Amino acid sequence: MSFLISVNSFSQTGSFNNPVPTKLQLAWHEMEFYLFAHFGPNTFTDKEWGEGTEPEDIFNPTNLDCRQWCRIAKAAGAKGIIITAKHHDGFCLWPSKYSTHTVRESKWKNGKGDVLKELSQACKEYELKFGVYISPWDRNHPKYGTPGYNDVFVNMMKEIFTNYGPIWELWWDGANGEGPNGKKQVYDWDRFKKTVRQLSPGTVIFSDVGPDIRWCGNEKGIAGETNWNLLDTIGFTPGAGAPPVDTLNRGNVNGKSWIPAECDVSIRPGWFYHKEEDEKVKTPEELFQLYLKSVGRGANLLLNVPPDRRGIINDKDSAALVGFKRLRDGSFNKVFVECNSVSVVVNFETPMLTNCIVLKEALNRGQKVSQFRVRLVESNNNSEDLKGTTIGSKRIITFSARVLKHLYLFIDNYKGGLVPEVSVSEGSIPENLIEK
């Protein structure tokens, strides 16, 4: 295989906005795929949203094994686990001093249990990143709906960062309903953010509007075909005050802040474990489609795999995850050319059968490409142009298999300044896995 890079470089002039990611955000982009673990009273009540009135004794896993979660995550190629430390029902998976609705009040381990402690230790053992979801909404706490609840929430975060760190990602759910007193809370988001920055400057914060990572606008695990890592957040807040979902899905082409998209989706129909869904676990092929539509569009994939009532991940979920990894491992090859130009041609000494091209932008320069074409030239000289918009951290392009002798990449439009730096690689995936 030989490479001929045709350089038609030029710099666009004029004023333009070019945010770039922080070192923490660049490292986050490299994570690509990790697990969500929804676990709590809902696991035992078959609810998705608890009322906050459930007795603490309902939480009683018979065989909690966070090391098993981590073994399965490693086998799946996931790079971290984010746990629902406190969902909307207010139940804390750690013995918080600022709530009476916690594992301490349950009969599990005679009130001595601590899920966060066990999972954080297991993640360290298996060299996985440890993340925490903590819902600001609390349907149990008596102070919810009053200014004093902001103190409670800040103190809970202080407990988590002090006792279970390092915390790689902190996940703020934007849901905001009524508390036990029938009131809604006015959240002090600025104070929350400052608290995290002071306690753990190495933590990336997720919410509808960042400040570091944004929601993709749906719970289907699908990023926009056009997906900018940029977002305008002035005047917006998490939850009801967030930008429209189509904006979250696509980003803003001239957004002022680097806030990339994270795609959350569950391996099952629900977010918490329900036995009746054991036969409804997504197949490895379905998970691969989600990978193409999330990571393959420049976002990260956060896949929920809920532990069951024993406190372990079900065999059905585990088998699907291992099959998913096998599909990924067999599909993508190493980069074979990097270019800093508006066009590149790759000549194959021996025509190559392929059905997948992977593009990546050098994000340390920002995200620039807004239009590109990939020209596939077959050994019989038939050709086809495949058009796209953004590239970002990764763009996976699939097509019906063909034998190629030339491959062209044209950057037809990009944001001003230096020419984008793009790498190109190819893959070979089963025909039934081409993006639907």
Side-chain angles (χ1 to χ4, degrees), residues 46-121:
D46 270 335
K47 295 178 181 178
E48 285 291 297
W49 280 18
E51 302 293 330
T53 56
E54 294 81 8
E56 290 79 20
D57 279 349
I58 198 74
F59 181 82
N60 190 25
T62 56
N63 187 30
L64 181 73
D65 187 354
C66 292
R67 297 178 74 251
Q68 185 248 15
W69 303 6
C70 291
R71 288 194 298 271
I72 290 172
K74 292 290 281 191
K79 296 181 180 178
I81 300 177
I82 298 176
I83 177 74
T84 53
K86 180 173 82 78
H87 204 252
H88 310 323
D89 56 24
F91 186 83
C92 300
L93 295 184
W94 78 102
S96 175
K97 297 177 183 178
Y98 301 94
S99 173
T100 57
H101 193 49
T102 82
V103 289
R104 183 185 54 245
E105 285 73 39
S106 75
K107 61 184 177 183
W108 176 58
K109 293 190 175 183
N110 297 315
K112 303 297 183 182
D114 188 336
V115 179
L116 293 196
K117 181 179 180 180
E118 293 194 32
L119 182 57
S120 62
Q121 290 177 344

Side-chain angles (χ1 to χ4, degrees), residues 34-38 80-87 91-94 114-117 119-121 123 129-136 153 156-173 196 200 203-207 262 302:
Y34 33 92
L35 301 186
F36 219 171
H38 276 62
I81 300 177
I82 298 176
I83 177 74
T84 53
K86 180 173 82 78
H87 204 252
F91 186 83
C92 300
L93 295 184
W94 78 102
D114 188 336
V115 179
L116 293 196
K117 181 179 180 180
L119 182 57
S120 62
Q121 290 177 344
C123 284
K129 297 292 187 181
F130 175 58
V132 170
Y133 163 116
I134 179 169
S135 172
F153 193 72
M156 285 182 172
M157 288 193 295
K158 287 180 178 179
E159 285 182 323
I160 289 171
F161 282 105
T162 301
N163 298 324
Y164 308 107
I167 308 296
W168 149 69
E169 180 171 330
L170 184 69
W171 223 89
W172 286 334
D173 195 310
V196 178
S200 182
T203 297
V204 291
I205 303 173
F206 167 99
S207 79
E262 183 176 80
L302 175 58

Side-chain angles (χ1 to χ4, degrees), residues 13 100 103 173 180 226 228 247 271 297 320-321 351 367 369 412 424:
T13 59
T100 57
V103 289
D173 195 310
T226 296
W228 290 99
T247 298
W271 287 94
R297 295 178 179 178
L321 288 168
Q367 186 180 7
V369 178
D412 291 326
V424 185

